Amino acid sequence: MSSTKVRVRFAPSPTGFLHVGGARTALFNWLFARHSGGRFILRIEDTDRERSKPEYEEAILRDMKWLGLDWDEGPEKGGDKGPYLQTQRGDLYRRELEKLMSAWPRIEKPSRLPAKFIVIRASAPSSAKPKEKKK
């Protein structure tokens, strides 16, 4: 059996209140983490800047606490894999992207796309054109 600890995540979007489907998912992940001696991570998926509201985030945290679903890492608790607001993870993703770009010279940033997009030229056999069938 692997010695890797289980890490499960619940990532609600603060574009509204916690609904029953989200609570169910959080409960199942929380139960699995607690049963297996793992960690339950809460990360707020606040990337919809137009609809995300601080009051919804506060309500989600309050409702999770009311349900008894405590988290091991996340908002109000921190942790070594943060930040736990998705919009604050940009620097982390940029660093990893720079590592990829320096490791893989075949990654390009085409001039017709904004710099934040990357196109990776596939070199896997599955990306090759299919061979024509012999008649």
Side-chain angles (χ1 to χ4, degrees):
M1 186 169 194
S2 173
S3 64
T4 304
K5 291 265 185 180
V6 167
R7 290 178 56 86
V8 294
R9 170 184 55 87
F10 177 59
S13 177
T15 55
F17 297 106
L18 182 65
H19 57 81
V20 71
R24 174 194 169 276
T25 299
L27 173 63
F28 284 10
N29 282 353
W30 182 86
L31 286 169
F32 183 68
R34 296 299 176 254
H35 173 75
S36 60
R39 300 188 55 83
F40 178 63
I41 292 85
L42 178 62
R43 186 182 73 215
I44 302 298
E45 204 57 52
D46 60 341
T47 55
D48 185 342
R49 293 184 188 252
E50 288 181 23
R51 296 185 312 144
S52 291
K53 304 259 186 282
E55 55 267 26
Y56 291 140
E57 180 182 336
E58 292 166 10
I60 289 169
L61 299 180
R62 183 188 64 239
D63 293 346
M64 295 278 292
K65 291 173 190 172
W66 183 85
L67 290 167
L69 303 177
D70 59 325
W71 51 96
D72 301 304
E73 299 174 35
E76 300 179 350
K77 294 224 177 169
D80 61 348
K81 305 261 190 219
Y84 296 95
L85 291 177
Q86 185 66 16
T87 54
Q88 294 176 357
R89 297 176 68 82
D91 289 338
L92 172 73
Y93 297 140
R94 237 181 312 295
R95 282 193 306 272
E96 295 304 315
L97 176 59
E98 287 170 7
K99 287 180 194 176
L100 280 173
M101 291 178 73
S102 65
W104 292 354
R106 295 190 60 135
I107 295 177
E108 295 181 8
K109 287 187 269 179
S111 59
R112 68 182 187 279
L113 294 175
K116 67 180 179 179
F117 292 103
I118 302 173
V119 175
I120 300 174
R121 274 194 198 152
S123 59
S126 62
S127 67
K129 291 182 182 177
K131 293 181 182 178
E132 291 184 32
K133 292 183 180 178
K134 293 183 181 179
K135 294 181 181 181

